[in-house]
Amino acid sequence: MSFIDVNHLSKTFKVAKRNSGLKAALKSFVNRKYVSIDAVKDVSFKINKGEIVGYIGPNGAGKSTTIKMLCGILKPDSGSISINHMSPFEERKKFVKDIGVVFGQRSQLWWDIPAEDTFDLLKVIYKIDDKEYLETKNKLVEMLDIKDVIKMPVRQLSLGQRMRCEIAASLLHKPSILFLDEPTIGLDAVSKEKVRNFIIEINKKYKTTVILTSHDMNDIEALANRIILIGRGSKLFDGTLNDLKAKFGNCRKVTIITNDTLKKFNKKGVCKRTKTDIGYEFIIDINLISISSFVNYVGEYVDISDIDIDSDNIDNLIIKLYQEYNI
Amino acid sequence: MRLYFNLFKNKLITNISYRMSAIAGILTQFFFGFVFISVYVAFFESGNSDLDLHKIVSYIWLNQAFYGLTYIMLKDNDFVSMIKNGNIAYELCKPINFFKKWFSTFYGIRVANVLLKFLPIICIAMLLPYPYKLEAPVSIMGFALFVVSLIISSFLVTGIAYIFHILIFFTLDDRGIINIFQVLGEIFSGGSIPLYLFPGFLQTIAYALPFRYISDLPYNLYTGYFSINEGISLITCSIIWLVVIVIIGNILTKLALNKSVIQGG
């Protein structure tokens, strides 16, 4: 059995729905309509110890819902989760001792007091002994570069500083699994870099299994060797980043800037053509047509004043994936 | 257990540091005390009643003095907003017993509320002239039972208030129906007037509910309205109710967390 074993996981939410306005509000008071939303349907995957897995998908795909079920705070409607031979929801109290969670959009630190005081409270909550606590705390503080930061009231910290404190807080008890739900949301480049390096470091040092969701594909590219793509609640892709690139990374976006008009033409390998204000945009498959022959071909008909080739950018890849799966 | 004691202590220390709020609270309690007593005094002067004015006046002062401890409607905004904005997610990711954590937290708030206020109110009320005077307890035994039942009452009211809080999981609103229950609880606890002044049928209802052990029982033990023997059997009942309330609280917690939806992405 794998370290994390998820089988046919599903979760449906019932949401009250009404139009805006007073009339609709009154109407919904008498006759309330509910819509069922399949947040997660029939998702299965296995994750081994020490892996870093990127869990990606567009907004509302069911990422956070899955994370919440994996953390044991949300009850799955059907399907099973087994993490380290435990069922997260049923054995919540025992299970959560061994996990660390960071929700990028929420805070677990007490707003009015320094982060260090929250750390002290966490020490009591997790029953960490004094020596071990000091050791872990000092190490985390050093790695995340928050030595002075943790002495300041949390409300006076910048988002980047606070997020690093949040991450430290979730690792004080040395969990074997770390869930990061959008840990770099709203951070600047430097803070992102610090957070990323730190995650890689603890993964190497302590073999911590990391599951992270992010909309920043650079995070995923820097951290995760394995990607699970989810859209509209279903799993669409599970594999390494290279697999993903091999499968979908053969397309390039070529933007040609020109004043001339281009006749319609049919050429193998040109997947998509759009006219823009200043020229044309093509998506070409480089397995079928090389960039140089494509440019040569177009150059015969129009005067190319500028050209831009979008390289193997993972953002494009994801957009293409989303298009491919129609999500 | 140490963890929950720490949570209680933290809440106590944080809440006890609001000095101005304590002074304002004491003045408010005195204001209400005087208003209530004046009504009863006018009532007694205008007609002859077989009721004992001393007992009612003492009851009112005790109610004012321990108001912060036995006030059913006390609501904790941290708890309410935690449910509404979904920060409960972090709460559930920690190896903490949800019921014990919030019970200790609420208890800390209540103890802090009463600790700074009750002594000044009792001391001053005892020095007031007749008919506004808080009488000394009728017997040492009665006083001892008063203390015991007040301690049980403090746990009982915390448990009942916890249940009102946990209901927010189901209603997602801390007002409305929950407020109605709270007001009813307040009335049936004897928080407004002693239950023996209720008309017959309401009294029967009130005596069947657990709320009576919150205010009515301890204060009436002090004033000697209940005899020692009655007191002992009523205190036993209140302990049974406390156990029932704790069990209900735990069951509701389980149900609430099972169906809980973490609000927000």
Side-chain angles (χ1 to χ4, degrees):
Chain A
M1 200 140 106
S2 310
F3 190 57
I4 298 179
D5 204 338
V6 175
N7 275 312
H8 306 291
L9 190 66
S10 297
K11 177 83 192 173
T12 310
F13 291 114
K14 213 169 98 182
V15 183
K17 186 183 165 186
R18 69 169 163 89
N19 295 327
S20 61
L22 181 65
K23 207 177 141 195
L26 288 173
K27 200 175 147 196
S28 87
F29 189 77
V30 185
N31 181 11
R32 194 158 298 180
K33 287 198 168 61
Y34 290 98
V35 206
S36 290
I37 294 176
D38 295 321
V40 175
K41 44 186 176 191
D42 202 20
V43 169
S44 306
F45 55 82
K46 289 179 181 11
I47 294 172
N48 293 320
K49 203 169 163 54
E51 266 190 294
I52 302 184
V53 177
Y55 199 67
I56 56 174
N59 283 330
K63 301 186 300 289
S64 294
T65 307
T66 316
I67 295 279
K68 283 170 192 165
M69 287 192 280
L70 291 175
C71 302
I73 62 179
L74 204 60
K75 190 184 185 183
D77 283 344
S78 65
S80 68
I81 306 174
S82 156
I83 300 181
N84 202 5
H85 307 289
M86 277 182 279
S87 161
F89 190 82
E90 268 74 40
E91 298 161 80
R92 187 173 66 80
K93 235 185 116 183
K94 189 173 140 210
F95 171 74
V96 291
K97 274 184 195 153
D98 197 32
I99 64 166
V101 190
V102 176
F103 294 108
Q105 309 187 49
R106 308 183 188 284
S107 179
Q108 62 176 325
L109 303 168
W110 286 10
W111 195 241
D112 294 318
I113 55 174
E116 203 168 19
D117 287 336
T118 305
F119 292 179
D120 290 344
L121 186 74
L122 288 169
K123 169 185 178 290
V124 182
I125 289 177
Y126 288 105
K127 301 188 179 88
I128 313 167
D129 69 57
D130 296 349
K131 195 171 154 258
E132 209 182 327
Y133 168 69
L134 271 181
E135 221 169 74
T136 322
K137 187 172 84 176
N138 291 338
K139 200 170 269 170
L140 289 171
V141 163
E142 184 198 321
M143 281 162 91
L144 284 160
D145 191 18
I146 46 172
K147 195 163 185 238
D148 303 317
V149 176
I150 57 168
K151 312 252 183 242
M152 290 193 273
V154 172
R155 64 182 131 84
Q156 287 174 342
L157 302 182
S158 74
L159 186 59
Q161 292 170 329
R162 205 193 79 204
M163 196 53 72
R164 278 180 277 150
C165 293
E166 299 271 1
I167 293 175
S170 63
L171 285 166
L172 285 169
H173 55 294
K174 294 191 189 162
S176 63
I177 312 164
L178 180 61
F179 294 99
L180 300 166
D181 194 3
E182 305 188 28
T184 59
I185 194 164
L187 300 191
D188 66 20
V190 180
S191 302
K192 274 186 184 174
E193 196 57 35
K194 277 184 184 160
V195 168
R196 280 177 204 152
N197 289 340
F198 172 77
I199 294 169
I200 293 173
E201 210 176 327
I202 58 145
N203 172 261
K204 280 219 182 90
K205 229 180 206 161
Y206 305 113
K207 290 268 163 284
T208 309
T209 309
V210 181
I211 297 178
L212 87 155
T213 74
S214 180
H215 286 292
D216 184 342
M217 288 309 151
N218 295 322
D219 282 352
I220 303 286
E221 199 158 13
L223 293 172
N225 329 358
R226 183 172 156 204
I227 287 175
I228 296 176
L229 173 75
I230 168 166
R232 288 200 185 159
S234 306
K235 189 176 88 171
L236 302 174
F237 175 86
D238 182 353
T240 64
L241 198 57
N242 288 335
D243 285 348
L244 191 71
K245 281 180 181 168
K247 202 168 167 193
F248 298 99
N250 46 5
C251 286
R252 294 287 182 281
K253 189 164 92 181
V254 182
T255 313
I256 287 171
I257 302 197
T258 176
N259 292 323
D260 306 336
T261 34
L262 189 60
K263 289 204 306 278
K264 264 213 160 87
F265 63 90
N266 256 331
K267 188 136 179 86
K268 216 176 162 196
V270 179
C271 313
K272 205 176 162 201
R273 160 191 163 139
T274 0
K275 170 104 177 74
T276 64
D277 291 345
I278 47 166
Y280 297 90
E281 248 181 48
F282 296 96
I283 291 183
I284 63 167
D285 189 335
I286 52 167
N287 288 349
L288 299 171
I289 181 169
S290 74
I291 300 248
S292 64
S293 62
F294 174 76
V295 172
N296 278 339
Y297 182 79
V298 176
E300 280 174 29
Y301 300 97
V302 295
D303 183 28
I304 300 176
S305 53
D306 198 0
I307 187 164
D308 176 51
I309 300 163
D310 215 340
S311 59
D312 202 3
N313 183 328
I314 186 164
D315 270 325
N316 282 339
L317 206 77
I318 296 300
I319 293 168
K320 234 170 296 166
L321 258 173
Y322 288 176
Q323 278 169 0
E324 182 105 346
Y325 289 109
N326 213 357
I327 52 176
Chain B
M1 222 49 228
R2 201 181 124 218
L3 163 64
Y4 303 106
F5 183 73
N6 270 6
L7 286 166
F8 163 75
K9 208 177 70 188
N10 274 352
K11 228 26 202 198
L12 184 67
I13 293 168
T14 339
N15 278 273
I16 222 163
S17 50
Y18 300 114
R19 215 170 21 181
M20 279 321 285
S21 135
I23 293 171
I26 291 174
L27 291 177
T28 316
Q29 309 298 13
F30 267 110
F31 174 77
F32 276 105
F34 278 116
V35 170
F36 284 135
I37 293 170
S38 306
V39 172
Y40 284 105
V41 169
F43 192 61
F44 274 82
E45 279 171 359
S46 67
N48 32 9
S49 167
D50 51 352
L51 289 166
D52 190 347
L53 183 60
H54 300 292
K55 281 195 170 58
I56 297 179
V57 171
S58 297
Y59 185 99
I60 290 169
W61 283 127
L62 290 170
N63 196 15
Q64 296 303 322
F66 295 102
Y67 195 67
L69 190 66
T70 58
Y71 178 50
I72 289 188
M73 295 184 68
L74 190 72
K75 215 174 269 174
D76 184 34
N77 285 329
D78 290 348
F79 188 93
V80 178
S81 57
M82 174 188 81
I83 293 177
K84 285 193 174 179
N85 64 24
N87 269 341
I88 189 182
Y90 265 129
E91 191 78 27
L92 297 177
C93 292
K94 304 267 146 49
I96 311 181
N97 181 306
F98 193 84
F99 175 83
K100 284 185 196 159
K101 185 207 156 159
W102 285 101
F103 193 93
S104 1
T105 309
F106 292 165
Y107 199 70
I109 297 174
R110 282 176 187 278
V111 173
N113 270 348
V114 82
L115 219 51
L116 289 176
K117 292 185 207 159
F118 84 98
L119 261 183
I121 294 178
I122 287 192
C123 293
I124 296 172
M126 281 192 150
L127 298 174
L128 290 173
Y130 177 83
Y132 293 94
K133 186 179 173 2
L134 167 65
E135 301 286 334
V138 282
S139 67
I140 294 175
M141 192 57 189
F143 182 72
L145 286 183
F146 157 74
V147 173
V148 171
S149 77
L150 190 67
I151 291 169
I152 296 167
S153 150
S154 68
F155 289 120
L156 189 65
V157 72
T158 309
I160 288 174
Y162 174 85
I163 291 177
F164 286 136
H165 279 82
I166 205 87
L167 288 178
I168 302 173
F169 272 101
F170 301 93
T171 60
L172 285 184
D173 179 35
D174 58 311
R175 291 158 298 166
I177 190 91
I178 293 179
N179 265 5
I180 296 175
F181 282 143
Q182 285 179 326
V183 170
L184 288 176
E186 186 75 19
I187 293 169
F188 284 123
S189 74
S192 326
I193 55 171
L195 297 183
Y196 59 76
L197 296 181
F198 274 22
F201 80 100
L202 264 185
Q203 208 176 51
T204 321
I205 300 175
Y207 279 162
L209 293 171
F211 303 111
R212 66 174 297 198
Y213 305 105
I214 294 172
S215 304
D216 192 67
L217 175 64
Y219 306 152
N220 279 330
L221 280 170
Y222 180 99
T223 62
Y225 179 82
F226 289 126
S227 69
I228 304 295
N229 283 340
E230 278 174 317
I232 290 171
S233 62
L234 284 170
I235 286 177
T236 317
C237 287
S238 70
I239 294 172
I240 296 170
W241 267 112
L242 176 61
V243 174
V244 171
I245 293 289
V246 168
I247 292 172
I248 294 176
N250 274 297
I251 293 173
L252 281 177
T253 307
K254 205 161 179 202
L255 288 177
L257 297 185
N258 268 348
K259 75 157 285 273
S260 75
V261 174
I262 314 295
Q263 309 290 324

